[in-house]
Amino acid sequence: MELSIPNDDTAILARAVDPANWKLTRDAAQALVDLKLADDDKRRMDELADKARAGELTADDEIEIDNYRQVGCLIELMKSKARLFLRNASA
């Protein structure tokens, strides 16, 4: 019987950033924990949020919001895995 492994983008990414597969130093893991969006991106996200509240989003704005959402999820996943790596490295 063949084991079925989900291969959607989330499952593939989760396997790719599994700390067990990392060859990181503590400094590299800490750098991931400290990762954040650039100030210009934060300002753009605020602009898009204002447009959304006013009901003025265009189709391109919706795509841009989705892009920020995806990148934000990726950054948070990497940060979470890096924190796990650091916690396990301390044990």
Side-chain angles (χ1 to χ4, degrees), residues 68-87:
Y68 276 113
R69 186 177 299 119
Q70 289 179 27
V71 170
C73 287
L74 172 61
I75 289 171
E76 289 307 312
L77 176 62
M78 291 174 58
K79 290 171 81 162
S80 176
K81 296 292 185 171
R83 284 190 293 272
L84 181 61
F85 176 88
L86 289 170
R87 188 174 359 183

Side-chain angles (χ1 to χ4, degrees), residues 11-81:
I12 293 167
L13 182 60
R15 290 191 299 271
V17 297
D18 183 344
N21 297 327
W22 288 6
K23 307 285 189 271
L24 286 181
T25 64
R26 291 183 58 74
D27 288 343
Q30 187 61 54
L32 287 172
V33 170
D34 296 338
L35 187 65
K36 58 185 173 184
L37 290 176
D39 289 340
D40 287 345
D41 288 313
K42 290 177 188 176
R43 278 190 288 279
R44 179 61 181 151
M45 289 172 44
D46 287 342
E47 290 171 8
L48 291 168
D50 289 343
K51 287 179 77 172
R53 281 189 288 277
E56 299 171 352
L57 287 177
T58 66
D60 286 343
D61 291 337
E62 294 278 357
I63 291 169
E64 191 174 358
I65 287 173
D66 192 48
N67 290 340
Y68 276 113
R69 186 177 299 119
Q70 289 179 27
V71 170
C73 287
L74 172 61
I75 289 171
E76 289 307 312
L77 176 62
M78 291 174 58
K79 290 171 81 162
S80 176
K81 296 292 185 171

